Amino acid sequence: LRTASAFAISGVFLTGNCADPFHPKTIRATMGAVFRMPVWETDYEALRRLLTRAGLPLYGAALQTGAKSPQTLSGGFPAAVAIGSEGKGLSPALLSLCDQTVRIPMEPGCESLNAASAAAVLFWERYKGGEGGK
């Protein structure tokens, strides 16, 4: 949530077994960002319906063959980005709802980034491609 706020993400949808956004430890970790941006809890199917109705593509961060470069997210167009858990990544159910996957290139021998780091990289791509940082 703090990273999303830093890069002008419009809102955050929480699905599955996410942490309680209003638990005191979460509030402290977000440095109050949970109060500066909309946060919704929903299920996968409702999220897909909302994004389809809004005309927003869903990009999933995944270590998959055929995933696009993070630069795919540059350009300032509206989109949603799914970040999975640190241990398991995106669930198969959420991955199946994604319009496209993106993969952050890393040095050989690096397995993955933690969720917050991956979110920061992808949100930065969105931010620099839009009006942010100008």
Side-chain angles (χ1 to χ4, degrees), residues 104-126:
I104 299 167
M106 291 176 275
E107 289 294 309
C110 292
E111 190 173 303
S112 65
L113 297 173
N114 68 34
S117 296
V121 169
L122 298 176
F123 294 169
W124 169 246
E125 283 296 335
R126 298 276 315 126

Side-chain angles (χ1 to χ4, degrees), residues 34-131:
V34 69
F35 300 119
R36 294 190 301 271
M37 64 186 324
V39 177
W40 302 278
E41 295 182 73
T42 189
D43 60 49
Y44 299 143
E45 291 75 27
L47 176 62
R48 180 73 262 179
R49 285 192 305 272
L50 287 166
L51 295 175
T52 299
R53 213 170 29 239
L56 295 174
L58 177 59
Y59 291 84
L63 299 171
Q64 285 192 316
T65 303
K68 301 282 186 184
S69 161
Q71 287 81 9
T72 301
L73 299 173
S74 295
F77 61 91
V81 177
I83 306 292
S85 71
E86 291 185 20
K88 298 179 183 174
L90 293 177
S91 71
L94 184 53
L95 194 55
S96 72
L97 299 177
C98 293
D99 298 298
Q100 180 62 55
T101 55
V102 293
R103 181 181 180 140
I104 299 167
M106 291 176 275
E107 289 294 309
C110 292
E111 190 173 303
S112 65
L113 297 173
N114 68 34
S117 296
V121 169
L122 298 176
F123 294 169
W124 169 246
E125 283 296 335
R126 298 276 315 126
Y127 186 75
K128 75 177 189 174
E131 295 300 313

Side-chain angles (χ1 to χ4, degrees), residues 1 18-30 34-35 41:
L1 292 168
C18 290
D20 175 2
F22 297 103
H23 186 280
K25 288 183 180 181
T26 308
I27 292 170
R28 188 170 45 249
T30 70
V34 69
F35 300 119
E41 295 182 73

